[in-house]
């Protein structure tokens, strides 16, 4: 009887240890990144497509810490209302840099980086909802064509808080599909993004 209790206790301890090992550990994600970038003065947002990767650590079934890095794979076109003084040239040659000109151009994502705390909420055995909050940095490259025929290349960067939420679905104990929305509160750009991808838990 005593021997049976010892064997049963060892089995329970082994299962608990295995469960704990699955609850904590590293994970990696990758996939498609869509960004809607609206620079100050733009009439509407610019659709930009990219690829993103994330790496994180699960402390338990609820809380994780993750870092992300994304880069653009194409540029988005936009219309732009801007002061001549901001571009530092007189586009219509009237001697006045206070004129507002309507220009067109395109903007590309050089890279987007951030770090986040992530809270996970299991909905079913395989389906999970999560929210994340953190801080992000974005670096953009824009080309502006003015009505006077001048082409201006501008590289700009911004940083600020970021908040998002999403869902994931476990295909197995290690592999899962995921999708989420993130709002980036940058000073010079109003930016939001959607990531669709796949992840692997170790």
């Amino acid at each position: 009887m005593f021997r049976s209790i010892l064997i049963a206790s060892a089995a329970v301890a082994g299962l608990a240890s295995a469960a704990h090992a699955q609850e904590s550990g590293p994970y990696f994600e990758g996939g498609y990144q869509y960004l809607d970038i609206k620079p100050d003065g733009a009439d509407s947002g610019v659709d930009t497509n990219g690829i993103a990767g994330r790496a994180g650590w699960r402390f338990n079934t609820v809380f994780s810490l993750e870092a992300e890095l994304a880069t653009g794979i194409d540029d988005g076109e936009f219309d732009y209302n801007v002061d001549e003084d901001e571009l530092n040239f007189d586009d219509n040659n009237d001697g006045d840099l206070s004129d507002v000109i309507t220009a067109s151009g395109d903007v590309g994502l050089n890279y987007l980086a951030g770090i986040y705390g992530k809270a996970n909420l299991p909905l079913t055995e395989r389906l999970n909802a999560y929210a994340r909050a953190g801080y992000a940095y974005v670096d953009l490259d824009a080309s502006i064509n003015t009505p006077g025929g001048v082409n201006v290349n501008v590289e700009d960067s911004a940083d600020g808080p970021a908040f998002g939420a999403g869902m994931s679905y476990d295909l197995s104990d290690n592999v899962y599909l995921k999708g989420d929305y993130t709002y980036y509160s940058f000073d010079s750009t109003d930016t939001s993004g959607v990531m669709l991808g796949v992840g692997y838990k170790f």
Side-chain angles (χ1 to χ4, degrees):
M1 180 67 176
F2 182 69
R3 182 182 178 186
S4 299
I5 294 175
L6 287 178
I7 293 174
S9 298
V12 171
L15 290 173
S17 176
H20 179 72
Q22 291 180 354
E23 289 175 2
S24 63
Y27 64 91
F28 295 95
E29 300 173 349
Y32 165 75
Q33 177 76 60
Y34 164 81
L35 286 177
D36 181 72
I37 304 171
K38 186 178 180 181
D40 288 345
D43 293 334
S44 60
V46 182
D47 297 332
T48 304
N49 300 302
I51 54 175
R54 297 177 184 173
W57 182 271
R58 303 186 320 276
F59 293 95
N60 49 49
T61 57
V62 176
F63 182 72
S64 303
L65 187 66
E66 68 180 23
E68 75 173 356
L69 180 64
T71 186
I73 55 177
D74 67 5
D75 294 343
E77 298 181 351
F78 66 94
D79 292 322
Y80 193 66
N81 296 319
V82 61
D83 292 332
E84 291 176 323
D85 184 57
E86 185 175 336
L87 299 177
N88 197 30
F89 69 86
D90 187 5
D91 187 58
N92 54 10
N93 295 313
D94 64 353
D96 183 7
L97 294 181
S98 64
D99 296 331
V100 176
I101 59 176
T102 300
S104 63
D106 57 70
V107 61
L109 173 68
N110 291 329
Y111 64 90
L112 171 71
I115 186 166
Y116 303 84
K118 181 178 175 182
N120 186 67
L121 175 65
L123 300 178
T124 68
E125 185 178 352
R126 292 182 177 271
L127 185 64
N128 302 277
Y130 60 87
R132 64 185 198 138
Y135 204 82
Y137 177 90
V138 66
D139 187 84
L140 303 171
D141 189 11
S143 177
I144 303 171
N145 300 309
T146 72
V150 177
N151 182 267
V152 181
N153 293 313
V154 179
E155 184 172 353
D156 194 15
S157 61
D159 59 272
F163 313 91
M167 301 187 76
S168 65
Y169 183 82
D170 294 333
L171 298 177
S172 68
D173 289 340
N174 302 102
V175 181
Y176 57 94
L177 300 176
K178 51 102 25 110
D180 59 43
Y181 168 86
T182 303
Y183 174 75
Y184 303 92
S185 183
F186 300 134
D187 288 337
S188 57
T189 61
D190 186 14
T191 303
S192 59
V194 173
M195 180 187 174
L196 302 174
V198 62
Y200 188 89
K201 297 179 287 187
F202 292 86

